[in-house]
Every structure is written in C-alpha cells, then in structure tokens.
C-alpha cells in the first residue's frame, strides 16, 4: 500500500518525541545539546539557522551521523549523554529525520515542534 508524505509524517510523529520552542529556549546553551537543521542548503542560506545549530541536510543525515571511526562523512561526534534536537522549517522534515536518527539507535532525539517557523513566531531570531 502506497503512503502519502502526510501519512509518513503522522507515523513519524507518533513514534518520536517533540519539544516546544519554550523547551528548546531553556536548554539552547546546554553543551550536551546537538541542534540539527535538516533543511536544504538553499533554505539555510536564505533564512539562517537557530543559534548553535549545525547543518545536516536531510538527504545526507545517515552519512553525517554514522558514528563509525572510519566514516569519512561523519559531521559530529555524538556522546552517550548528548541530547539531539532536530528541526526544519515547519516540522515535517524534522519529524522524518528524527525518526531516522531513532532508527539508527540514538536514544535522546526530539523534533522541534513547528520548526524554525515556530521559533521565529515566538520572537526568536535566526543567524546567518
């Protein structure tokens, strides 16, 4: 049976944790936080990113987060006590990316509810 992308996003949302903008604001400077923007390079260049975020285009997420020592694409070292929060522009790509990281075995992973759009709506800024 074929699934639409809204169905996939709903499935992902039912299987992952989400955090609110307020929750992210309260831990934004935590050194254990890994904040990941999974939008396209173009979207990030156009609108910027949340403070302290790293860019990991969703299409390369598995490559960037594979923790094997010999992985030439690894973008970040994830420690056992790392807290990963993923976001996109509105929440959909973030939900799918969060589910991917959970599927890869990362335990403390959440999606930012509403993405960077909700972040800006709440009066926060994005950085170039």
């Amino acid at each position: 049976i074929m699934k639409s992308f809204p169905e996939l996003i709903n499935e992902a949302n039912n299987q992952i944790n989400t955090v609110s903008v307020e929750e992210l604001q309260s831990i934004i400077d935590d050194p254990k936080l890994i904040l990941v923007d999974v939008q396209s390079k173009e979207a990030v260049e156009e609108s910027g990113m949340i403070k302290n975020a790293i860019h990991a285009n969703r299409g390369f997420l598995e490559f960037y987060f594979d923790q094997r020592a010999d992985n030439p694409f690894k973008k970040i070292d994830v420690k056992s006590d790392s807290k990963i929060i993923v976001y996109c522009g509105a929440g959909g790509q973030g939900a799918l990316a969060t589910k991917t990281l959970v599927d890869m075995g990362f335990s403390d992973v959440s999606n930012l509810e509403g993405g960077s759009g909700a972040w800006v709506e709440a009066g926060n800024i994005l950085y170039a």
Side-chain angles (χ1 to χ4, degrees):
I1 295 174
M2 299 281 288
K3 292 181 184 176
S4 66
F5 77 83
E7 288 172 315
L8 288 173
I9 292 169
N10 283 337
E11 270 184 22
N13 276 319
N14 288 331
Q15 297 172 30
I16 62 169
N17 297 317
T18 58
V19 296
S20 67
V21 166
E22 295 74 26
E23 288 173 283
L24 177 55
Q25 285 171 316
S26 72
I27 61 166
I28 192 79
D29 293 316
D30 185 335
K32 293 179 179 139
L33 174 65
I34 299 173
L35 185 58
V36 184
D37 188 319
V38 296
Q39 298 178 92
S40 70
K41 183 174 178 259
E42 295 76 23
V44 165
E45 286 172 355
E46 187 179 311
S47 5
M49 296 193 303
I50 297 174
K51 174 181 158 184
N52 299 337
I54 61 161
H55 181 240
N57 185 311
R58 184 171 158 244
F60 293 94
L61 196 66
E62 295 89 341
F63 298 93
Y64 293 152
F65 274 83
D66 179 350
Q67 295 297 296
R68 292 173 302 142
D70 64 346
N71 174 13
F73 304 105
K74 183 166 70 168
K75 201 161 198 170
I76 189 139
D77 285 315
V78 180
K79 310 283 186 266
S80 59
D81 63 348
S82 295
K83 177 176 188 58
I84 303 170
I85 297 179
V86 178
Y87 74 91
C88 62
Q93 287 186 71
L96 296 170
T98 300
K99 183 177 181 313
T100 295
L101 292 177
V102 169
D103 290 345
M104 288 180 75
F106 296 101
S107 55
D108 195 351
V109 189
S110 303
N111 182 34
L112 177 61
E113 194 173 4
S116 59
W119 181 257
V120 170
E121 247 176 62
N124 300 293
I125 60 172
L126 299 175
Y127 297 86

